[in-house]
Amino acid sequence: MDKILVVDFGSQYTHLIAKNIRKLNVYCEITPYTNLPDDLSLVKGVILSGSPHSVIDNKYPAVDLGLFGDIPILGICYGCQMIARQLGEIIVKSSHREFGEHLIEIQGDLLGVKDKHLNVWMSHNDTIMSETHLDVLA
């Protein structure tokens, strides 16, 4: 059975992420980052969860992105920052903490959700700086 794999880095929202994927009638499994499955042949997508940790710390929880091969990866908050750091981007402490509800717009088709506005919850302290030094919120 095809599935989405949610890699848990300790986010308080990991189970909520999986629940919402399952509401879309997509099979989903949660695994801790320390115990990735050996067989990824049925995994059609990977979601890297948030975390109370920061990739700015010298020792931060991580997975080798190369393990996933050509499987699409979505990083949420910490997961996005971990991907960015492994790709050589600079992560800095934000000048202010952002916390609360935020409206996002989905363009195209994302897991069967098409061209919609969605309310999401955000909580982060860190910012990804692109090569052109434009702030990209993660």
Side-chain angles (χ1 to χ4, degrees), residues 33 53-62 78 82 85-86:
Y33 75 95
H53 300 283
S54 171
V55 299
I56 294 173
D57 299 335
N58 288 332
K59 292 184 179 183
Y60 63 93
Y78 176 87
M82 189 197 72
R85 174 134 186 214
Q86 287 189 25

Side-chain angles (χ1 to χ4, degrees), residues 44-76:
K44 298 302 177 196
V46 174
I47 297 175
L48 305 177
S49 79
S51 175
H53 300 283
S54 171
V55 299
I56 294 173
D57 299 335
N58 288 332
K59 292 184 179 183
Y60 63 93
V63 295
D64 177 2
L65 299 176
L67 295 173
F68 302 116
D70 292 334
I71 301 170
I73 302 171
L74 170 65
I76 297 177

Side-chain angles (χ1 to χ4, degrees), residues 1 24 66 69 109 119 130 135:
M1 171 184 289
L24 297 170
D109 186 346
N119 286 320
S130 74
D135 286 351

